Amino acid sequence: MGTKSTHATAPGEARYPHLFAPLDLGFTRLKNRVIMGSMHSGLEALPDMAPRLAAYFVERVNGGVGMIITGGIAPNKEGGHGAYMMHEADVARHRIVTDAVHNADPDVKICMQILHAGSLAGGADAVAPSPIRPRILPIVPIELDEAGIEKQLADFTRAAVLAQQAGYDGVEVIGSAGYLLATFLVARTNQRTDRWGGDFEGRMRFPVEVVRRIRAAVGPDFILIFRVPAMDMLEGGLSQDEVIRLSQAIESVGATIISTHFSWHEAQVPTIATMVPRAAFTGVTGQLRRHVKIPLITSNRINMPQVAEDVLARGDADLVSLARPMLADPDFVLKAAQSREAEINTCIACNQACLDHGFEGKLASCLVNPRAAHELDLRYIPTTAAKRIAVVGAGPAGLAFACIAAGRGHHVTLFEAGSEIGGQFNLAKRIPGKEEFHETLRYFKTQVARTSVELRLSTRASAPLLAAGDFDEIVIATGVEPRKPQIPGINHPKVVIYSDILLGRRTPGRKVAIMGAGGVGFDTAQFITQRGPSASTDIHLFAREWGIDFKHHPRGGVTGIVPQVDHADREVWLLQRKPGSPGKALGRTTGWAHKLTLQRRGVHMWGGVDYRHVDDQGLHLLVDGEARVLDVDTVIVCAGQEPERTLHDELAQQGIASHLLGGARDAAKLDAKRAINEAAHLAAII
Ligand code: NAP
Ligand code: SF4
């Protein structure tokens, strides 16, 4: 819940002097260096878009952000991304949003992003410089002719003018990511021989013309940001020299700010997933900054104030763009200003509730903050009738419930049989590339203390204990038990449950079969094939593993560089009964990278297996009907989960009602997103 914005004497401002320094843009001023980066929430397309977007943004304004960039709005139908388009008729409802932001804090700026998706628009009328199908979509776009180009330029300009009429302080034009402007820039997607193609001068003509015309139409006192593909991660993509030339040209025709963007959607390098080191790409912005005079924005995996401050302090950029961290915690800036960093709900870069939802056509939210983009329908209103509530289980569901309910004023006692809070998070944090879960645990520890939850660790709550406690409500969040498939030999000493491996209670042998290839199977494979430190903690390791040359910036940053992944020092089979290759159910935006990593480490991935039995020889299988024996030393069971609700059933037998949450309620397809979401909804109304 946001409170009023920062004031000059807040103690954290001295700790983060670069972050809290205003930025003078000549005709206007940004109050600090933190931008809420553009990201579709899905609210843009709703009939009641205006009040919902207004509430979403105002919460971030009250949390101290300096400038907001909206999710991308198309300038015309062919560039459309779903229903997000700027019409004359939309000006009034956009005005509701901009007025709400400015009323909340007149010093905060809001810019509308103009996104023409080009060949990624996906419709039959999608347009592009050349009729080249993007790698990730089945549609060949229509090649723009001279009249078509003129129409696109006019539509970009019209969208900017409408944004100005709607009260925006500026626009951001996206010239990256594989959208229309980016496809003009790259030779592979721009094979024109007229003045809009050919050499780089010709290929950058269209993006530069877009900026020139917008500036001419909106006048000098309107923020105009251009997103350059500063390292597009494409084999044969832009060279550093071309990025510099583009940026200088954009500057010369009137851009106010350049925002650096990394990667195209079709690139095969992760740039925002949790396996990417924090602030991994800001050095690229830093190199470009030497060549332009206007301010530069950098982004990607900047998820804590100190990370942002360090980026600014070493001169990599003038501004930092935080998109997902603003979903995770709307009060990020305010908490930094008030030295309350331990209270920041840190974005763990999982993409599960934000970008994955976007690609699935669902409303975005946040795994660690289900209120994100749901500000009007999930409210944590202080209670007027405080209850005594027992919560059993301090995993994600129990923790989220306890902290939100206590934050509303209830008296919450949280029982945990283990000696620490966290539940499944304590397993997740051990997976290489998932170190950010430590931050979530730190957040919950702080929240438990701050909201005065009475935490009873190493206490196994029993039915008699709860009955004697005179609680008004009992919430059972006892989580899940790993499923143990009932096949002959399942109790053989070779067989081990994944949690024993992840917690270090057992060490797998040199040959390992993993039974089950869901999220946990993949995580376990990652864990047991990791050699040395995780690439997510070291930018050099990351660059080596994904074939990036940050220093010399060959075309796209990746051209001609072979990723160097160490083969695992054990042989691993990742198995599932379903036919086909494992990994299809992993997150849309991150699953491919997890899978590629394991493939590069030499992990065998088999679908369509039928487990027969385990014995001294190993794991006996039928693979497509053919008998096989994997002579493995260890069989790790990652075969899903069953609900653990013994306590709930015992209470029920005694006629004591309780609420079931998370995995204890339903273990199928359980993840932290659902657990926290369920907990938040119950805690909001109890
Ligand atoms: P899961 O995703 O349901 O996968 C369970 C796996 O076990 C499947 O491969 C399934 O495939 C197999 N299986 C199910 N019943 C079996 C049986 N009786 N015998 C043998 N194999 C069986 O469960 P999970 O991997 O434990 O993950 C739990 C939840 O956490 C999931 O929702 C998952 O998405 C989430 N999670 C997510 C991540 C992430 O990175 N986003 C990481 C970890 C966990 P077959 O039935 O085809 O054999
Ligand atoms: Fe960050 Fe995950 Fe929340 Fe997205 S869902 S904002 S990646 S924590």
Side-chain angles (χ1 to χ4, degrees):
M1 282 166 275
T3 42
K4 255 302 170 200
S5 58
T6 55
H7 59 90
T9 55
E13 295 187 15
R15 184 175 306 174
Y16 307 113
H18 295 86
L19 204 58
F20 287 103
L23 181 65
D24 189 357
L25 296 175
F27 59 91
T28 191
R29 195 179 92 124
L30 304 184
K31 68 175 195 168
N32 61 41
R33 304 302 178 103
V34 185
I35 294 171
M36 176 177 179
S38 175
M39 196 160 99
H40 284 129
S41 59
L43 295 171
E44 300 88 348
L46 297 180
D48 57 349
M49 152 274 199
R52 297 185 68 169
L53 261 186
Y56 169 62
F57 287 141
V58 165
E59 198 147 307
R60 276 80 196 161
V61 172
N62 290 339
V65 72
M67 179 159 73
I68 291 169
I69 317 285
T70 69
I73 304 286
N76 54 26
K77 185 170 163 296
E78 56 271 33
H81 213 74
Y84 320 144
M85 210 184 114
M86 195 61 175
H87 296 278
E88 275 77 3
D90 290 326
V91 168
R93 56 187 199 138
H94 280 268
R95 172 64 80 169
I96 294 171
V97 177
T98 57
D99 280 352
V101 165
H102 293 138
N103 287 339
D105 186 341
D107 289 337
V108 173
K109 313 297 174 207
I110 178 163
C111 298
M112 187 185 89
Q113 189 188 70
I114 306 177
L115 186 161
H116 189 309
S119 60
L120 295 179
D125 57 353
V127 294
S130 301
I132 293 169
R133 184 179 75 79
R135 188 178 66 78
I136 53 177
L137 283 183
I139 292 172
V140 178
I142 299 164
E143 182 176 26
L144 284 164
D145 58 15
E146 189 70 31
I149 286 185
E150 196 51 46
K151 175 185 181 303
Q152 303 307 316
L153 289 169
D155 289 346
F156 267 100
T157 311
R158 186 189 61 115
V161 170
L162 291 177
Q164 195 173 32
Q165 289 169 9
Y168 287 102
D169 300 286
V171 289
E172 175 177 272
V173 175
I174 183 156
S176 50
Y179 297 132
L180 181 69
L181 273 52
T183 55
F184 267 93
L185 292 167
V186 175
R188 179 154 66 84
T189 47
N190 181 350
Q191 299 181 349
R192 305 176 73 96
T193 51
D194 62 4
R195 66 195 182 108
W196 304 104
D199 61 8
F200 193 64
E201 197 65 30
R203 298 203 306 275
M204 72 174 181
R205 191 180 312 280
F206 181 78
V208 172
E209 191 60 13
V210 167
V211 175
R212 198 183 65 76
R213 293 211 192 176
I214 290 178
R215 175 55 77 207
V218 296
D221 298 343
F222 192 62
I223 299 170
L224 206 175
I225 307 166
F226 187 87
R227 278 208 108 175
V228 298
M231 196 179 255
D232 57 31
M233 303 293 159
L234 292 180
E235 195 73 25
L238 292 191
S239 68
Q240 188 179 29
D241 178 55
E242 288 169 344
V243 173
I244 293 168
R245 283 176 63 194
L246 171 68
S247 304
Q248 290 174 339
I250 294 291
E251 177 177 18
S252 73
V253 292
T256 320
I257 299 172
I258 284 176
S259 176
T260 49
H261 200 190
F262 313 97
S263 189
W264 277 32
H265 286 298
E266 59 185 74
Q268 284 186 304
V269 174
T271 50
I272 56 171
T274 190
M275 77 257 293
V276 178
R278 290 175 171 188
F281 295 93
T282 65
V284 178
T285 314
Q287 290 178 33
L288 179 60
R289 193 163 177 247
R290 296 202 288 271
H291 301 277
V292 289
K293 295 184 203 69
I294 56 178
L296 252 61
I297 304 172
T298 196
S299 64
N300 290 36
R301 296 284 286 116
I302 300 171
N303 65 347
M304 285 299 279
Q306 193 61 54
V307 181
E309 176 66 18
D310 292 346
V311 165
L312 297 172
R314 65 175 175 257
D316 279 356
D318 302 279
L319 295 147
V320 287
S321 169
L322 280 58
R324 298 172 300 166
M326 284 289 152
L327 263 65
D329 196 331
D331 289 337
F332 181 101
V333 182
L334 186 66
K335 288 174 181 174
Q338 297 176 344
S339 297
R340 292 161 52 211
E341 298 85 349
E343 291 176 37
I344 290 178
N345 201 359
T346 305
C347 168
I348 57 173
C350 63
N351 289 355
Q352 281 176 248
C354 52
L355 295 179
D356 284 348
H357 276 206
F359 283 105
E360 291 160 16
K362 294 187 201 158
L363 206 55
S365 187
C366 171
L367 181 146
V368 298
N369 173 27
R371 286 199 73 241
H374 293 72
E375 286 73 17
L376 295 183
D377 45 59
L378 179 59
R379 296 169 187 251
Y380 306 147
I381 298 166
T383 182
T384 51
K387 294 177 176 176
R388 298 188 70 245
I389 305 177
V391 182
V392 185
L399 282 168
F401 176 88
C403 295
I404 296 167
R408 292 185 52 227
H410 293 300
H411 306 293
V412 179
T413 306
L414 176 58
F415 296 94
E416 168 57 45
S419 59
E420 58 178 350
I421 65 165
Q424 299 288 317
F425 281 159
N426 288 317
L427 301 180
K429 74 183 183 190
R430 292 165 202 269
I431 309 299
K434 291 199 166 179
E435 295 80 8
E436 294 288 0
F437 278 99
H438 286 282
E439 296 286 7
T440 310
L441 286 165
R442 179 265 308 146
Y443 166 76
F444 275 122
K445 271 180 199 147
T446 312
Q447 286 299 99
V448 163
R450 210 179 68 83
T451 58
S452 304
V453 169
E454 185 187 338
L455 177 61
R456 302 203 22 206
L457 291 173
S458 307
T459 306
R460 188 168 288 282
S462 61
L465 184 145
L466 293 173
D470 195 24
F471 293 105
D472 300 310
E473 308 273 0
I474 297 174
V475 175
I476 304 294
T478 39
V480 291
E481 278 293 310
R483 179 182 293 130
K484 222 170 166 185
Q486 291 311 305
I487 62 165
I490 194 70
N491 294 320
H492 190 280
K494 282 179 191 280
V495 181
V496 53
I497 297 290
Y498 67 86
S499 47
D500 285 339
I501 298 289
L502 299 180
L503 292 170
R505 295 184 192 132
R506 291 276 302 273
T507 304
R510 294 193 66 79
K511 286 184 151 193
V512 181
I514 298 178
M515 194 185 276
V520 170
F522 268 82
D523 277 359
T524 304
Q526 179 88 15
F527 183 82
I528 66 170
T529 56
Q530 181 70 35
R531 292 178 68 179
S534 163
S536 57
T537 59
D538 182 321
I539 187 172
H540 302 292
L541 287 177
F542 173 74
R544 178 177 176 270
E545 205 161 280
W546 289 98
I548 308 165
D549 185 343
F550 285 115
K551 195 165 168 213
H552 301 103
H553 197 144
R555 286 196 172 276
V558 295
T559 301
I561 305 170
V562 179
Q564 306 276 316
V565 178
D566 294 328
H567 246 243
D569 52 9
R570 50 172 60 96
E571 190 166 15
V572 177
W573 286 263
L574 184 54
L575 307 170
Q576 70 177 21
R577 298 172 304 175
K578 279 184 284 299
S581 177
K584 294 208 170 78
L586 297 177
R588 180 97 178 252
T589 57
T590 52
W592 64 270
H594 291 297
K595 189 165 175 177
L596 194 52
T597 301
L598 294 185
Q599 284 168 338
R600 287 175 177 165
R601 290 182 184 180
V603 172
H604 312 285
M605 298 187 193
W606 291 1
V609 307
D610 182 3
Y611 308 113
R612 305 310 293 172
H613 64 277
V614 182
D615 62 15
D616 290 349
Q617 266 187 295
L619 176 60
H620 296 252
L621 308 161
L622 290 180
V623 184
D624 297 329
E626 187 189 329
R628 300 278 296 262
V629 186
L630 290 179
D631 61 338
V632 293
D633 312 299
T634 312
V635 177
I636 306 177
V637 178
C638 302
Q641 331 282 338
E642 300 286 356
E644 170 47 63
R645 53 168 86 121
T646 317
L647 180 59
H648 169 267
D649 296 346
E650 280 172 21
L651 288 168
Q653 277 164 16
Q654 296 181 24
I656 301 172
S658 62
H659 305 268
L660 275 173
L661 265 191
R665 191 181 69 73
D666 179 6
K669 293 282 159 217
L670 174 79
D671 58 14
K673 180 180 76 172
R674 173 155 74 74
I676 293 176
N677 190 43
E678 263 180 43
H681 278 86
L682 181 62
I685 57 164
I686 202 161

